[in-house]
Amino acid sequence: MDFFEKVLDQTRAGEVTHRMAAIQRGEFDANPRLALNQSRRFRRWFERNNPSDEVREAELRDAAAEAHSVTLDAGEYNVVVISLFDCGESETDERFNGATTQTEWLARMYSILDETKAEIEEYVAIAVQKCEDAPTVDKQPASSNVHVTSNQENKIAVRKEKTEKKLVHVTVAKPAPKPSRADFAFAPVAKYFATSPDDVVHIIRNGNGTIEMLDLALHEAGEILGALKEHFYLDRDNAKNLQVGVSGQDPCPWFGATGTIESAVLAARGSRQTSAESEACRHKLLNALRKYDVR
């Protein structure tokens, strides 16, 4: 199901299309081999996880069997990760509109996988063509103005050419670093954090430091941080030195009775001014933290 979820997220976001567009825009002109290597790694990852025909037949057969059949109302299977597979919070996806059984859901999922495979093959083909079209460095022709008077002069010229070749510095573009577990866990709420996910985890583990957040009210920041509070078992004793800066304001304590993020959350709940969006973000972050435990 992790593979299904990742493919669905990537296809909704147009990941492969964006990769192909980057190649065609010339972003890899300086190092077309890098684009080719990335495309092939992406294809290998897909092929390693893509269910074989035998596995698909077995899963469809089990889903259709009376002992395992599940029939839901129309639209209840319109999800990325359905509760039937116990994979956390659901998100709607119009590609599953009208699917009312596990069998129909799997059939549509396999159809999406087949379409994605064809798209990846096109991506690899574009990367291969880019490498083939890349100009090659030809040997420089000898100048007609050079007059070689002896074998000794010829040997000196050869040695000089070899030395110059050794001194050429080739800069190879480094691939982007792989996302950490914290990057994956914070993905649903990354736009609200100015501090990087790895630094947030480091600050919480140390019990000291300031977490910077963006474009939020204090109580909204507190709602989202509630997922981290639960995940790391934080309270007024073990997190008394943690600070939070919100929307460019001066940092304030996370925990405490007054003038803190905690007190802002309690006041908002008491006056029923909580934000539905921040509560939803808290649930998403908590589900992701359970999946990618960063403690």
Side-chain angles (χ1 to χ4, degrees), residues 4-294:
F4 281 2
E5 182 179 4
K6 193 171 185 65
V7 170
L8 289 170
D9 286 341
Q10 289 179 338
T11 51
R12 282 202 313 276
E15 173 70 19
V16 180
T17 303
H18 292 159
R19 287 171 177 252
M20 289 190 286
I23 296 175
Q24 293 170 329
R25 280 196 305 268
E27 293 185 11
F28 292 88
D29 283 358
N31 188 3
R33 177 62 59 179
L34 176 60
L36 179 59
N37 290 342
Q38 288 182 353
S39 69
R40 286 174 171 171
R41 280 200 300 270
F42 193 83
R43 179 171 63 182
R44 284 196 298 271
W45 165 80
F46 185 88
E47 290 177 345
R48 272 198 314 270
N49 294 279
N50 189 21
S52 65
D53 292 341
E54 292 77 11
V55 171
R56 295 186 184 197
E57 290 177 5
E59 289 182 345
L60 288 170
R61 186 168 54 250
D62 289 343
E66 183 177 355
H68 300 284
S69 63
V70 178
T71 302
L72 302 179
D73 294 335
E76 288 191 41
Y77 264 86
N78 178 11
V79 292
V80 170
V81 186
I82 55 177
S83 57
L84 177 65
F85 294 98
D86 191 24
C87 289
E89 189 170 344
S90 299
E91 298 180 27
T92 59
D93 188 319
E94 63 181 11
R95 289 173 293 184
F96 295 95
N97 282 347
T100 57
T101 66
Q102 183 180 349
T103 303
E104 291 177 354
W105 193 93
L106 285 172
R108 295 194 187 189
M109 184 68 238
Y110 293 147
S111 176
I112 292 171
L113 290 181
D114 291 339
E115 292 172 1
T116 304
K117 180 178 180 180
E119 195 173 31
I120 291 173
E121 291 302 325
E122 182 182 356
Y123 166 39
V124 174
I126 290 175
V128 169
Q129 188 63 47
K130 197 69 173 179
C131 277
E132 293 177 350
D133 292 344
T136 57
V137 179
D138 296 325
K139 293 182 179 180
Q140 295 182 352
S143 173
S144 58
N145 295 326
V146 176
H147 177 64
V148 180
T149 59
S150 67
N151 288 336
Q152 185 64 24
E153 288 184 47
N154 191 40
K155 290 179 181 178
I156 292 173
V158 170
R159 283 200 297 271
K160 183 179 179 182
E161 183 182 358
K162 289 182 178 179
T163 303
E164 289 175 347
K165 286 183 178 179
K166 289 181 180 179
L167 294 177
V168 174
H169 178 68
V170 179
T171 302
V172 179
K174 295 181 180 179
K178 293 182 179 179
S180 64
R181 292 181 67 84
D183 288 325
F184 285 119
F186 277 71
V189 296
K191 65 180 180 180
Y192 297 116
F193 283 86
T195 305
S196 71
D198 286 313
D199 286 341
V200 171
V201 172
H202 181 72
I203 289 169
I204 292 176
R205 286 174 178 170
N206 289 345
N208 187 34
T210 301
I211 299 170
E212 296 287 349
M213 300 184 71
L214 303 168
D215 302 326
L216 295 165
L218 290 181
H219 70 275
E220 292 174 331
E223 285 289 352
I224 296 173
L225 291 170
L228 292 168
K229 171 186 174 182
E230 182 175 339
H231 186 68
F232 286 94
Y233 310 109
L234 301 178
D235 54 37
R236 294 185 182 183
D237 291 327
N238 62 19
K240 59 185 178 182
N241 295 323
L242 294 179
Q243 301 273 321
V244 181
V246 182
S247 301
Q249 301 178 29
D250 291 336
C252 64
W254 185 344
F255 291 91
T258 59
T260 65
I261 297 294
E262 181 186 24
S263 64
V265 172
L266 294 175
R269 290 179 178 176
S271 59
R272 295 184 178 180
Q273 294 180 347
T274 56
S275 165
E277 181 180 356
S278 58
E279 288 183 355
C281 287
R282 174 166 56 86
H283 289 301
K284 290 181 180 179
L285 177 57
L286 186 57
N287 285 332
L289 288 168
R290 287 169 179 166
K291 183 175 181 179
Y292 303 102
D293 193 332
V294 297

